[in-house]
Amino acid sequence: MPKVFRLPDLGEGIHEGEIVDVLVQPGESITEGQPLLIVETDKASVEIPSPFTGVVETVHVQSGQVVRVGDALVTVREKGEALEAPPMQVAAKSPTMEPTPVREHGDREEREGLPVAASPATRRLARELGVDLRKVRPSGPGGRVTAEDVRQAAQARQEPQEPPAKLTEAAPEMEVEGPSRPAEDLLASEPVGLGAVPEGERRVPLRSVRRVIARRMQESWARVPHVTHHEGVDITDLERLREEVNRDVLMPEKRLSLTPFLVKAVVAVLKEYPFFNARLDEQKQEIVLHDVYNVGVAVDSPRGLVVPVLKNADRKSIQELAAELRLLSQRARSGELSPEDVSGGTFTVTNIGPLGGRGFTPLINYPQVAILGAGKARLEPVVTGSLEDHTLTVRLILPVVLAFDHRVVDGADGARFVNRLKALLENPKKMVVVL
């Protein structure tokens, strides 16, 4: 009897996802554990493996379709079992799944229906560059197609592919909030099911990560009474310390940015003000205080804003936090973050400074209670002393803003939190002792 495979519970409160790629087609033989589809959730892109061995009878979904937990994905029958009905054809298939005849490719053969071994990030790159994975010579272990294989194939093409390739610029090697993708990326999709479009307008379906961001930000703004507290922090001495440490680092990509210092200082302040490391259980009307310090860091990526989490940040040194953040940022840019990488956050830090800006008002990463934002540090004149006896100096000032849930903490609490953070960042020696 045919077996229907339905979208399983993906954990972490994930109830739906978007089909990014269908890796099988009707009539194809599959084995247990073989990837069937790639599904993108609000956490990450994941491969969905088959729980059965047999032959695909029906594929119930297509690329771009949103599915919920329990929805039918694929129907599989055992080999040799008669078909109960003619197999349904998928309404629209991924470009990478077009059947190809058996042909020689160097010293290997490609056979119709066999899935191409490639990671979700490589498949996404192939779609963006318009490259058919079945025509790419693999160089990875076990015949796996790598991202570099795809880029070389795209460069070697003589004729442009249809539809036109959509190029995605790599995100800058820094932690910043907000998408920096060029407008061409957002306009590359054709309007789907939106009816007639007036002249002079274009419409783009709200899909994938953009759709998730829209839903989560709307939920945060609608449910949480945001209050923001702004301050300027003198990080002159901290910047000198950071530059001194980085002078001994030979590889530029391993030099310390400001973000690990912010994270470490934030953790110290959270221990003193635990109600900022919490969430509100609205149903039970209880404030839940977290005993762990899992700090999410907003990262700009070609897919949009993602927030990988530095787990147990209180137990790690600044160097360890920097190394882990570099790794998570690389995964974010390549689309290889796992659900574990982006789950469990208790507080969020977003540093938009590398892109500029004197200040902004970040939205809380609901259901967290607060988020700390940092702008671009600038040299500014600072007056110290009294009206009668004062001194004018030039210092490096970092604009910071704390956005918090006024249901859980008050304005005075926010001021105390920022004042303590300011004291730590302005006195690196004290920060080293406290941390």
Side-chain angles (χ1 to χ4, degrees), residues 46-353:
V46 294
E47 288 186 344
I48 305 297
S50 172
F52 313 123
T53 295
V55 178
V56 177
E57 181 175 290
T58 308
V59 177
H60 301 280
V61 294
Q62 59 187 14
S63 297
Q65 180 177 339
V66 176
V67 292
R68 297 184 62 84
V69 172
D71 287 352
L73 302 177
V74 176
T75 297
V76 179
R77 60 182 173 82
E78 293 183 359
K79 288 186 177 181
E81 184 178 353
L83 288 172
E84 294 187 354
M88 296 175 58
Q89 297 298 318
V90 181
K93 291 181 284 187
S94 164
T96 61
M97 294 311 300
E98 290 298 325
T100 57
V102 177
R103 63 184 180 87
E104 293 294 327
H105 190 85
D107 58 353
R108 71 184 176 89
E109 290 185 347
E110 291 185 332
R111 297 184 180 276
E112 180 178 0
L114 292 179
V116 177
S119 70
T122 300
R123 293 180 186 280
R124 183 181 299 108
L125 179 64
R127 290 194 302 274
E128 292 172 350
L129 298 181
V131 173
D132 185 349
L133 284 176
R134 293 184 178 277
K135 299 177 181 178
V136 178
R137 181 187 296 274
S139 65
R144 195 174 187 85
V145 175
T146 67
E148 185 59 30
D149 296 335
V150 172
R151 294 189 186 96
Q152 291 180 2
Q155 186 176 2
R157 285 182 307 171
Q158 298 299 320
E159 298 292 337
Q161 299 288 321
E162 294 293 339
K166 180 180 70 173
L167 299 180
T168 302
E169 295 294 336
E173 200 160 323
M174 57 186 70
E175 308 83 38
V176 295
E177 178 178 17
S180 65
R181 294 166 293 170
E184 295 89 335
D185 274 10
L186 297 177
L187 298 177
S189 302
E190 292 294 328
V192 178
L194 296 177
V197 179
E199 185 177 355
E201 292 184 359
R202 298 193 206 182
R203 296 193 180 189
V204 181
L206 197 62
R207 286 180 173 172
S208 191
V209 173
R210 191 77 260 156
R211 174 176 57 84
V212 173
I213 292 174
R215 185 180 69 242
R216 292 176 68 91
M217 294 300 96
Q218 181 178 4
E219 180 182 25
S220 175
W221 187 250
R223 302 185 71 159
V224 178
H226 285 63
V227 176
T228 55
H229 185 93
H230 299 254
E231 183 59 278
V233 179
D234 184 347
I235 62 167
T236 306
D237 295 336
L238 177 59
E239 181 63 13
R240 286 172 177 158
L241 173 63
R242 189 177 73 88
E243 290 179 349
E244 181 180 347
V245 173
N246 285 338
R247 277 196 291 269
D248 297 329
V249 180
L250 299 179
M251 301 177 66
E253 65 273 15
K254 291 190 176 182
R255 291 174 182 166
L256 294 177
S257 69
L258 179 63
T259 304
F261 291 92
L262 289 175
V263 171
K264 200 62 177 172
V266 159
V267 170
V269 181
L270 288 175
K271 290 183 176 181
E272 298 183 34
Y273 299 95
F275 281 82
F276 288 89
N277 193 53
R279 65 179 175 85
L280 177 63
D281 187 331
E282 297 179 68
Q283 184 175 3
K284 295 184 178 181
Q285 288 296 288
E286 296 175 343
I287 299 173
V288 181
L289 303 179
H290 300 296
D291 292 330
V292 295
Y293 300 90
N294 298 336
V295 180
V297 178
V299 175
D300 183 37
S301 79
R303 299 169 56 238
L305 179 66
V306 291
V307 187
V309 178
L310 299 168
K311 303 291 178 63
N312 299 310
D314 57 317
R315 304 177 189 175
K316 298 170 182 175
S317 67
I318 291 177
Q319 288 83 356
E320 289 172 332
L321 290 172
E324 185 174 346
L325 184 55
R326 281 193 296 269
L327 178 61
L328 290 173
S329 298
Q330 290 169 1
R331 290 180 184 172
R333 289 192 293 272
S334 62
E336 296 179 336
L337 287 172
S338 69
E340 176 65 20
D341 290 332
V342 293
S343 62
T346 62
F347 187 95
T348 298
V349 171
T350 173
N351 180 10
I352 202 172

